[in-house]
Amino acid sequence: MKTLWKSVRITVAFCIFFSVFYILVLWIFAQFAGPNKGSAEVLTLNGKAVGAANVGQMFTEDIYFWGRPSCAGDGYDASSSAGSNKGPANEEYLAEVEARIDTFLLHHPYLQRKEVPAEMVTASASGLDPDITPASAYVQVKRVAEARGMDEATVRGIVDKAVEKPLLGLFGTAKVNVLKLNIALEKANGK
């Protein structure tokens, strides 16, 4: 019995120590690793905060680039961050994806069904993904340019500038932050 209590005390002590130590190490790392010292990068437009760069937002108007669909709560709800947990054979999930494809094609009539990027009709695991691939952004250029009355080449140039390359050219993939892209588009369009 003496050994059992000693084991329990050691276990509790290690749990407390490593819980605090782990959080402390992460906090210290965040102070040096990121540009914002572990805080969210809040983006502004015309002096007003419009969102955090690391949390996706819902854009459905044709004048904006769209991000990935979200299954978090009613959409992009950080307090309900999660995927749908529906498997690829789930009939309800397949119906959702088909509906999203139909909606995407309705707004992009110049595309064929096979050209719809998979990420534009499937939600991410967190439901809060703020980024899309450059290919998904380029597919939307024509729609956005037409809706804004802008030249396609100008809009494509804005997308080109918004593409974030992999870290050191090795780690990760190229991506486009949808909120940053839409802010750049608003600024270029004089709003």
Side-chain angles (χ1 to χ4, degrees):
M1 200 61 171
K2 187 177 179 182
T3 307
L4 176 65
W5 287 116
K6 186 176 183 180
S7 297
V8 168
R9 286 195 319 260
I10 289 173
T11 301
V12 169
F14 273 118
C15 286
I16 293 170
F17 173 76
F18 285 116
S19 295
V20 172
F21 182 72
Y22 178 72
I23 293 169
L24 183 63
V25 167
L26 288 179
W27 180 80
I28 291 170
F29 180 75
Q31 300 309 301
F32 299 102
N36 301 323
K37 298 186 178 186
S39 299
E41 179 184 359
V42 177
L43 301 177
T44 59
L45 178 64
N46 300 327
K48 293 182 179 178
V50 292
N54 60 343
V55 178
Q57 293 187 15
M58 184 168 305
F59 292 99
T60 56
E61 296 179 54
D62 284 342
I63 61 171
Y64 294 114
F65 284 89
W66 300 348
R68 292 188 72 176
S70 174
C71 289
D74 292 331
Y76 302 100
D77 179 1
S79 67
S80 298
S81 176
S84 68
N85 291 332
K86 295 175 185 165
N90 181 296
E91 290 188 26
E92 186 179 328
Y93 171 74
L94 293 174
E96 276 180 39
V97 171
E98 285 298 319
R100 289 175 185 158
I101 291 171
D102 292 342
T103 300
F104 198 82
L105 287 171
L106 181 67
H107 292 269
H108 302 85
Y110 51 88
L111 292 178
Q112 294 180 7
R113 192 171 200 78
K114 65 182 178 184
E115 297 173 310
V116 175
E119 73 175 329
M120 298 306 297
V121 294
T122 57
S124 67
S126 70
L128 304 174
D129 195 347
D131 304 316
I132 57 175
T133 62
S136 291
Y138 289 124
V139 156
Q140 300 179 64
V141 165
K142 185 173 183 173
R143 171 186 50 84
V144 172
E146 286 176 359
R148 286 184 175 265
M150 294 175 72
D151 181 53
E152 270 187 62
T154 303
V155 176
R156 183 173 294 280
I158 294 168
V159 173
D160 290 340
K161 291 178 186 172
V163 173
E164 299 173 26
K165 304 288 185 196
L167 180 65
L168 302 175
L170 301 170
F171 303 106
T173 59
K175 62 186 177 183
V176 177
N177 184 287
V178 178
L179 181 57
K180 288 180 181 178
L181 176 58
N182 285 329
I183 289 172
L185 192 60
E186 287 289 307
K187 288 179 179 176
N189 205 217
K191 293 189 178 186

